[in-house]
Amino acid sequence: MIEFTLNGKVQKVEADADMPLLWVLRDVLHMTGTKYGCGMAMCGACTVHLDGDAIRSCTTPVSAAAGKSVSTIEGLSEDTSHPVQQAWREHNVPQCGYCQSGQIMSAVALLDSNPEPDDAAIDEFMQGNLCRCGTYPRIKAAIKTAAGKMGGKA
């Protein structure tokens, strides 16, 4: 039995300790907002927060979450009112939308660690998140808008 906090609620799951956190979230706990993209931690679609840090859940064993806090896209806000989600809508970021939960979770982690990122900081932090539709300029603009909403000046 592995116990961790998911979006503020304690969860106890019976899963192999080596099972990727992504599959525990999606298949055991039915939290399907986190997406499977590559299975090799190279695309960022599976990004969640583990104790506040952005991680790739497709290669992180669920045992790494034991006793820790996991946040998914579903946990940002109940009504999509998080400033990053608002900025995403304002800039019409999603095209196909597949990568968006990972992009948003990475953007939140960036702004939590750097409330006033410049272009270089955004590019560096977000480089592990791929967007097949190429909406990178809108992603960057949305991050800057969200930073302003969250008190930063970006």
Side-chain angles (χ1 to χ4, degrees), residues 82-151:
H82 188 282
V84 174
Q85 292 170 311
Q86 290 175 351
W88 242 245
R89 283 190 306 275
E90 288 172 24
H91 289 276
N92 296 309
V93 173
Q95 205 161 311
C96 82
Y98 197 81
C99 70
Q100 296 309 299
S101 61
Q103 297 276 4
I104 289 170
M105 294 305 288
S106 287
V108 169
L110 165 62
L111 294 173
D112 284 348
S113 66
N114 181 356
E116 297 183 31
D118 59 16
D119 285 351
I122 294 170
D123 290 343
E124 182 178 344
F125 198 91
M126 299 297 291
Q127 72 182 350
N129 289 82
L130 303 179
C131 174
R132 295 180 286 198
C133 301
T135 64
Y136 300 110
R138 289 184 285 191
I139 291 168
K140 188 181 290 185
I143 291 171
K144 290 179 177 184
T145 296
K149 290 176 180 288
M150 295 169 75

Side-chain angles (χ1 to χ4, degrees), residues 4-151:
F4 60 93
T5 302
L6 175 63
N7 298 330
K9 296 179 184 175
V10 174
Q11 300 288 330
K12 294 179 183 179
V13 296
E14 285 201 37
D16 183 70
D18 292 332
M19 182 180 209
L21 178 59
L22 173 66
W23 300 121
V24 171
L25 294 172
R26 290 184 60 81
D27 296 345
V28 177
L29 299 172
H30 309 291
M31 303 296 286
T32 57
T34 304
K35 305 300 182 198
Y36 173 80
C38 67
M40 299 182 294
M42 297 181 71
C43 74
C46 67
T47 303
V48 299
H49 296 174
L50 184 62
D51 281 348
D53 294 324
I55 59 131
R56 304 301 190 248
S57 64
C58 69
T59 58
T60 302
V62 67
S63 59
K68 297 182 180 178
S69 177
V70 175
S71 300
T72 67
I73 190 74
E74 293 94 341
L76 282 185
S77 68
E78 291 183 15
D79 59 359
T80 67
S81 62
H82 188 282
V84 174
Q85 292 170 311
Q86 290 175 351
W88 242 245
R89 283 190 306 275
E90 288 172 24
H91 289 276
N92 296 309
V93 173
Q95 205 161 311
C96 82
Y98 197 81
C99 70
Q100 296 309 299
S101 61
Q103 297 276 4
I104 289 170
M105 294 305 288
S106 287
V108 169
L110 165 62
L111 294 173
D112 284 348
S113 66
N114 181 356
E116 297 183 31
D118 59 16
D119 285 351
I122 294 170
D123 290 343
E124 182 178 344
F125 198 91
M126 299 297 291
Q127 72 182 350
N129 289 82
L130 303 179
C131 174
R132 295 180 286 198
C133 301
T135 64
Y136 300 110
R138 289 184 285 191
I139 291 168
K140 188 181 290 185
I143 291 171
K144 290 179 177 184
T145 296
K149 290 176 180 288
M150 295 169 75

